[in-house]
Amino acid sequence: MAGAFIYDAVRTPRGRGKSSGSLHTTKAVDLLATALRGLRDRNELDTSAIDDVTVGCVTQVAEQGSCIARTGVLVAGYDERVPAVTLNRFCGSGLEAVNEAAAKVASGFMDVVVAGGVESMSRVKMGSDGGAIWDPTMEFAYGTVPQGISADLLATLHGITRQDVDAFAVASQKRAAAAWERRAFAKSVVPVVDMNGLVVLDRDEHIRPDTTMESLAKLSPSFEMMGRNFGLDALTKKRYPQVEHIDHVHHAGNASGIVDGAAAVLVGNEDAGKRLGLKPRARIRAMASIGDEPVIMLSATVPASQRALQKAGMKASDIDLYEINEAFAAVPLYTMQGLGIDHDKVNVDGGAIAMGHPLGATGAILLGTVLDALEARDLSTGLVTLCIGGGMGIATIIERV
């Protein structure tokens, strides 16, 4: 069995996912091509050596349909013989792409695979692909509810208060702003340019560094009306009859931002790296995906992380830094509870509450983020985990080399 090494990781900046966002005029395929070109150019990579390109994308319709991975490869100017595949594991898609790339390399069937993800949430609206998960029969069969209500249910069950989630959100904003100030992301962010080579965006634009507990306190809960007035809270009683009242604590200020973005990660075995003149930055030590209860939906970060830790022969305390996707503030707070880890090891440069969550790309972005943070602090091991719609979780452990 050959090992799977990370040779490099890049991403685009994240633009606000609305018509006023800087990346709204940039198509998803061009965001992906930007990341792919960035990976190629900074490593002087002979793309004919790439065995496959694996890309996560959640809303695979319109401009993001028809295997955007292959189109991105062609637009980026990669060798025409490089194949590509697009996958969807909801919010875990970007990390799933990396994990599948690592599995292909570690098995020995492939030598070099580029993995990553893309999502243009300003141009292709979340949920516009429809799908079986939205079928009303799911609500009646399982009691499933929208993710926001699941997040509020998770908070209620685990004693996470409005003050807790708002305080976490403020910390995410402050950490992200401080990270940009000290150029923590400069190593990995590839600017998006237009057809004339002019910079469209070169930094994350969703950050609100002036966020305070007082400003967040003015925001009304986003899911209270649909939960209570439309009766969706009652659907959860099928699985959680002990919950008499869901405390609706989440709002736009303590949940992940809707943004556009893309990422690319270069994965290969040791021999291929030597052949291409590349120096590995880390190796993928373990990975795990898991299904979990679909009503609460967002709690599988804990069992997925525990399974990855078990595969690596490690304990939670052995990990130096964590990246836990901030889909909703309750998710990292619950994950910290479940794994027994402190906030000072988690999302040290901010997270999706501050910088946004481009669905198909986030997992790959977080892998690069934790690698950069480990290198900056001269630490060794990192764990990335994301909750996933439908009640799933994913986790990956990396170790610097």
Side-chain angles (χ1 to χ4, degrees), residues 251-387:
H251 51 72
N254 58 33
S256 57
I258 293 174
V259 295
D260 307 331
V265 180
L266 181 59
V267 181
N269 60 33
E270 187 174 13
D271 289 341
K274 290 178 179 177
R275 188 169 65 250
L276 295 170
L278 302 171
K279 181 179 179 181
R281 296 174 62 187
R283 70 184 179 101
I284 296 179
R285 184 159 172 177
M287 64 183 78
S289 298
I290 198 166
D292 202 26
E293 197 277 294
V295 176
I296 204 161
M297 193 185 305
L298 308 172
S299 60
T301 50
V302 172
S305 298
Q306 290 171 333
R307 179 175 288 183
L309 288 164
Q310 183 181 26
K311 291 281 187 183
M314 303 174 75
K315 305 185 296 294
S317 59
D318 295 329
I319 299 294
D320 293 315
L321 293 177
Y322 287 82
E323 284 292 326
I324 304 170
N325 189 36
E326 298 172 1
F328 300 89
V331 174
L333 287 168
Y334 161 74
T335 307
M336 288 189 286
Q337 282 184 12
L339 297 178
I341 54 179
D342 295 328
H343 193 190
D344 61 4
K345 297 175 70 172
V346 175
N347 300 1
V348 293
D349 291 327
I353 291 173
M355 292 175 285
H357 173 24
L359 303 179
T362 302
I365 289 174
L366 295 185
L367 195 75
T369 298
V370 79
L371 179 53
D372 285 345
L374 289 170
E375 291 175 344
R377 293 161 178 81
D378 196 23
L379 298 172
S380 178
T381 55
L383 187 151
V384 178
T385 184
L386 299 92
C387 59

Side-chain angles (χ1 to χ4, degrees), residues 54-314:
T54 305
V55 173
C57 182
V58 174
T59 311
Q60 295 184 34
V61 294
E63 295 175 356
Q64 292 183 165
S66 300
C67 192
I68 192 172
R70 172 60 177 170
T71 310
V73 163
L74 298 176
V75 172
Y78 276 31
D79 190 289
E80 293 180 354
R81 292 168 293 179
V82 178
V85 62
T86 311
L87 58 84
N88 181 6
R89 199 190 283 275
F90 293 148
C91 295
S93 297
L95 192 59
E96 176 67 23
V98 176
N99 288 355
E100 291 197 11
K104 292 172 182 177
V105 169
S107 69
F109 288 116
M110 294 186 181
D111 297 325
V112 180
V113 180
V114 172
V118 64
E119 206 81 31
S120 175
M121 300 183 75
S122 69
R123 296 177 66 92
V124 184
K125 299 301 181 184
M126 179 171 55
S128 60
D129 53 338
I133 195 169
W134 305 111
D135 193 310
T137 58
M138 286 292 293
E139 295 181 357
F140 293 109
Y142 290 95
T144 54
V145 291
Q147 278 195 0
I149 294 176
S150 294
D152 289 339
L153 175 63
L154 181 70
T156 301
L157 282 168
H158 295 279
I160 298 169
T161 67
R162 170 68 183 260
Q163 183 167 349
D164 293 333
V165 290
D166 282 358
F168 186 90
V170 171
S172 180
Q173 295 285 356
K174 301 302 183 188
R175 289 180 176 189
W180 268 105
E181 186 68 24
R182 66 174 186 274
R183 296 179 54 80
F185 305 120
K187 183 176 182 178
S188 297
V189 172
V190 179
V192 177
V193 299
D194 64 16
M195 64 176 62
N196 297 313
L198 300 176
V199 174
V200 176
L201 187 66
D202 61 2
R203 63 181 291 129
D204 298 322
E205 68 173 347
H206 189 270
I207 301 173
R208 299 179 297 277
D210 57 348
T211 300
T212 64
M213 292 293 288
E214 291 73 26
S215 65
L216 293 183
K218 298 175 182 178
L219 300 178
S220 300
S222 297
F223 309 99
E224 186 171 37
M225 180 176 291
M226 72 167 65
R228 294 178 183 171
N229 296 0
F230 298 165
L232 296 183
D233 283 359
L235 290 175
T236 66
K237 288 188 176 295
K238 185 168 185 176
R239 288 292 182 101
Y240 299 95
Q242 74 275 25
V243 179
E244 296 181 3
H245 171 86
I246 294 178
D247 187 12
H248 290 283
V249 299
H250 288 96
H251 51 72
N254 58 33
S256 57
I258 293 174
V259 295
D260 307 331
V265 180
L266 181 59
V267 181
N269 60 33
E270 187 174 13
D271 289 341
K274 290 178 179 177
R275 188 169 65 250
L276 295 170
L278 302 171
K279 181 179 179 181
R281 296 174 62 187
R283 70 184 179 101
I284 296 179
R285 184 159 172 177
M287 64 183 78
S289 298
I290 198 166
D292 202 26
E293 197 277 294
V295 176
I296 204 161
M297 193 185 305
L298 308 172
S299 60
T301 50
V302 172
S305 298
Q306 290 171 333
R307 179 175 288 183
L309 288 164
Q310 183 181 26
K311 291 281 187 183
M314 303 174 75

